């Protein structure tokens, strides 16, 4: 999330912004991108976690799917 010119333009438009976290994006980068939009004057920011990468699998797992299948 290093496209600061795009984040600046999105902040100026005033419409709701959905920031999806990519697999290689750290949580800090994701939150700082949201802060950049908020600082630009747009309070309508939605953060979306796309999924997690499991240590044993090569395929990404969806966070909600893994929680749904969890058995106590």
């Amino acid at each position: 999330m290093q496209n600061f010119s795009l984040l600046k333009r999105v902040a100026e438009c005033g419409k709701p912004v959905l920031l999806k976290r990519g697999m290689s994006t750290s949580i800090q980068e994701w939150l700082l991108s949201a802060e950049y939009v908020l600082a630009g004057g747009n309070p309508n920011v939605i953060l979306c976690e796309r999924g997690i990468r499991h240590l044993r699998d090569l395929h990404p797992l969806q966070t909600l799917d893994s929680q749904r299948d969890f058995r106590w």
Side-chain angles (χ1 to χ4, degrees), residues 42-61:
N42 189 346
N44 303 313
V45 178
I46 303 166
L47 298 174
C48 177
E49 177 71 44
R50 294 176 67 172
I52 59 172
R53 199 173 279 278
H54 197 273
L55 295 176
R56 291 177 286 178
D57 290 333
L58 297 176
H59 305 289
L61 298 173

Side-chain angles (χ1 to χ4, degrees), residues 6-66:
L6 178 61
L7 291 172
K8 184 177 180 181
R9 295 281 308 264
V10 166
E12 293 170 352
C13 77
K15 293 186 178 184
V17 178
L18 177 65
L19 290 178
K20 291 184 180 180
R21 181 176 171 224
M23 291 293 181
S24 62
T25 306
S26 70
I27 292 176
Q28 184 178 8
E29 291 172 333
W30 187 39
L31 294 175
L32 288 174
S33 296
E35 287 288 331
Y36 197 84
V37 174
L38 291 170
N42 189 346
N44 303 313
V45 178
I46 303 166
L47 298 174
C48 177
E49 177 71 44
R50 294 176 67 172
I52 59 172
R53 199 173 279 278
H54 197 273
L55 295 176
R56 291 177 286 178
D57 290 333
L58 297 176
H59 305 289
L61 298 173
Q62 297 302 318
T63 306
L64 295 177
D65 291 342
S66 63

